[in-house]
Amino acid sequence: MSTKEHNADAEAVVDHVKAEVRRNRRPSVQFIDKSLIRRRSSGQEKQQQQQQQNQQLTRLQSIDSHDENEAPDTDQQKQDSTASDTDSDAEDGVGPNIREMQHKNKNGFNDFAVRRIKHAEYGRREIQIAEQEMPGLMALRRRAESDKPLQGAKLVGCTHITAQTAVLIETLVRLGAQVRWCACNIFSTQNEVAAALAEESIPIFAWKGETDDDFWWCIKKAIGGDQGWQPNMILDDGGDLTHYCHKHYSTLFSTIKGIVEESVTGVHRLYQMCRTQTLTVPAMNVNDSVTKTKFDNLYLCRESIIDAIKRCTDIMFGGKQVVVCGYGEVGKGCCSALRGMGCFVYVTEIDPICALQACMEGYKVVRLEEVIKQVDILVTASGSKNTITRESLDKLKNGAIVCNMGHSNTEIDVSFLRDSASSDLQVERVRTNVDHVIWSSGKRIVLIAEGRIMNLCCSSVPSFVVSITACTQALALIELYTAPPNRYKCDVYLLPKKMDEYVASLHLPAFDAHLTELSDEQCKYLGINKAGPFKPNYYRY
């Protein structure tokens, strides 16, 4: 054999072994049960895989010695692997105890807890992308930064930790606020983004895949009692932070100026506190503001539901039968997207007005029991409790997909799955945020994100729509913080319509949209001011 042929054979072997190493370097799942179920590798399997990889690398190094042009990866190249390449095991609950780790950023700041601070650079890039698609919030930052309307505010926040939220957090800091933050959902945190915020010395306590104990620990750390820090404003998403403060730090409310809440669940809790006269500070209901309801709930869900289900199941939607429980703004967005993909869509609804709207849009309004046995996908968007029960799940056909688009994680009752000893069902992990629930008969359904909000757990959401919501939150915080004493009582308020219109106006330049101006005569005829507000409070849009 000639030298040229020998070198060609050696190069072919090198390429083959390299390909094997790449395939085996990060095995995300292992196949069992005749390739029908995917789950995480056991510790023994991972040990065997590591041994195989070491053997392959040894072979590769011996072959590479014949080729002077080949060089092993440098340490810098290893560090340049993307964060997503190194985080999948951690997101599945494998890895060190974040609470016990010694955290420190490049400046020596250590008042935070995130998955991997070294991934801050990737998170910063994510934030930069989000900033480009959040024109309204960036415009608000530029306009208000010099005035510092939140100077002196000590704000504790509990929201989804995403690139879009990071833009809001950094905007609040630029407007003068001191902040401490934690996550409102154990699955929705983007670890790289949390690391980027920690690198900027922002106290943040969040990582993807928290346990329930971790979740409450992070809330406690964010409140900052151990650091001698006392908040005077709360930004909440779901009401857990407000509930925890009320239960464990009730004395804080003597200095808190207000609460801003953006979710159905959290607003419901605030109204309950108001009825029982346990709400001792003013609260702003951002969830029911026009800019939140009509844009975040509708358009965000319309775009994100398809992406989330696709990522989790690789399903083709055409011809599938889907039932959406609830035809509020979230349900409207989900139904629109699913029908656009070729699904047959059924709607369940308790409200005759919403039900009539669904009928007028061409959807079949049914009771769940009428269609439960035939549907392929079941989506909850009701904001209620136990919309889907064990009885409903028992009736689903084999292979059905069950997921939740509502904020509350109580819409799908999965409590009977948490105790494996008493449950007659088997739960097997397929991939991150995807489980098979298996009956003794062999029937299995696909449960996404353990019944928690699917789009934020399993995919991303449109930054532009989040910009609208984030502007609304920022303005609500400014309004409550700067309001004169006694303007707001211990009650739940909606954002003034003038502010809703201002938020919308901040986003119109992105579309090169130009508003028509009323003449003085038209203003007099309509009985409105030329600068707005343009609709009465009872207008429904």
Side-chain angles (χ1 to χ4, degrees), residues 137-150 171 174-176 475 478 502:
L137 187 59
M138 296 301 290
L140 178 63
R141 180 191 293 187
R142 290 190 297 269
R143 294 183 186 188
E145 187 172 7
S146 60
D147 295 334
K148 294 286 190 292
L150 292 176
T171 297
R174 298 276 282 273
L175 299 188
L475 287 174
I478 293 170
Y502 179 64

Side-chain angles (χ1 to χ4, degrees), residues 123-317:
R124 179 51 53 189
R125 295 171 191 168
E126 295 275 1
I127 295 169
Q128 289 170 346
I129 292 174
E131 286 177 345
Q132 296 172 5
E133 188 64 11
M134 301 181 74
L137 187 59
M138 296 301 290
L140 178 63
R141 180 191 293 187
R142 290 190 297 269
R143 294 183 186 188
E145 187 172 7
S146 60
D147 295 334
K148 294 286 190 292
L150 292 176
Q151 189 71 48
K154 293 185 175 181
L155 172 63
V156 57
C158 180
T159 64
H160 300 284
I161 307 298
T162 64
Q164 297 81 18
T165 306
V167 179
L168 170 62
I169 293 171
E170 293 185 341
T171 297
L172 297 174
V173 172
R174 298 276 282 273
L175 299 188
Q178 297 180 38
V179 301
R180 297 178 68 87
W181 225 269
C182 59
C184 69
N185 186 291
I186 64 174
F187 290 134
S188 64
T189 298
Q190 295 175 351
N191 289 327
E192 301 83 9
V193 172
L197 292 171
E199 191 59 54
E200 293 298 317
S201 299
I202 293 175
I204 183 165
F205 305 87
W207 58 91
K208 188 167 186 176
E210 297 170 7
T211 65
D212 287 341
D213 285 343
D214 291 337
F215 176 78
W216 295 112
W217 180 86
C218 288
I219 287 181
K220 181 179 179 181
K221 294 293 288 185
I223 293 170
D226 297 340
Q227 304 294 323
W229 194 81
Q230 188 164 338
N232 55 23
M233 294 293 293
I234 291 176
L235 176 58
D236 210 352
D237 186 345
D240 288 320
L241 172 59
T242 303
H243 169 76
Y244 192 87
C245 285
H246 190 265
K247 184 175 181 180
H248 299 282
Y249 296 94
S250 58
T251 55
L252 288 179
F253 288 96
S254 61
T255 57
I256 288 177
K257 291 190 173 184
I259 301 168
V260 174
E261 173 59 59
E262 75 146 322
S263 75
V264 174
T265 308
V267 167
H268 180 64
R269 285 177 164 184
L270 288 176
Y271 281 121
Q272 283 183 325
M273 293 175 69
C274 198
R275 285 194 296 269
T276 57
Q277 297 183 343
T278 55
L279 183 64
T280 56
V281 296
M284 195 72 79
N285 169 9
V286 170
N287 180 73
D288 292 314
S289 65
V290 174
T291 44
K292 171 66 164 64
T293 302
K294 294 295 180 180
F295 296 94
D296 189 310
N297 292 1
L298 175 60
Y299 298 116
L300 183 147
C301 293
R302 188 178 71 180
E303 295 210 10
S304 60
I305 184 174
I306 302 299
D307 182 43
I309 296 178
K310 281 277 191 186
R311 291 189 191 210
C312 290
T313 65
D314 307 316
I315 194 175
M316 186 183 80
F317 287 96

Side-chain angles (χ1 to χ4, degrees), residues 514-520 522-523 530 534:
H514 305 277
L515 289 173
T516 300
E517 291 187 13
L518 294 172
S519 67
D520 292 338
Q522 288 171 323
C523 288
K530 185 175 289 190
F534 298 97

Side-chain angles (χ1 to χ4, degrees), residues 25 57 61 72-83 85-86 118-119 122:
R25 184 183 296 153
L57 287 169
Q61 290 169 357
D73 289 343
T74 65
D75 289 340
Q76 183 61 41
Q77 288 171 325
K78 290 176 183 177
Q79 290 174 4
D80 286 343
S81 64
T82 64
D85 286 338
T86 56
K118 67 180 182 180
H119 288 160
Y122 302 109

Side-chain angles (χ1 to χ4, degrees), residues 140 143 284 289-291 471-472 475-476 479 488 494-506 515 528-537 541:
L140 178 63
R143 294 183 186 188
M284 195 72 79
S289 65
V290 174
T291 44
C471 278
T472 308
L475 287 174
E479 173 66 14
Y488 294 103
L494 288 173
L495 196 70
K497 188 174 290 291
K498 184 65 178 174
M499 291 189 183
D500 271 324
E501 292 177 351
Y502 179 64
V503 170
S505 70
L506 288 174
L515 289 173
I528 61 177
N529 190 290
K530 185 175 289 190
F534 298 97
K535 298 290 190 295
N537 287 331
Y541 291 92

Side-chain angles (χ1 to χ4, degrees), residues 359-384:
C359 292
M360 297 292 281
E361 290 292 338
Y363 300 111
K364 181 69 174 176
V365 178
V366 298
R367 290 185 176 179
L368 185 60
E369 57 267 24
E370 296 173 18
V371 296
I372 189 69
K373 294 181 180 180
Q374 67 195 58
V375 296
D376 302 289
I377 306 173
L378 193 159
V379 182
T380 54
S382 67
S384 184

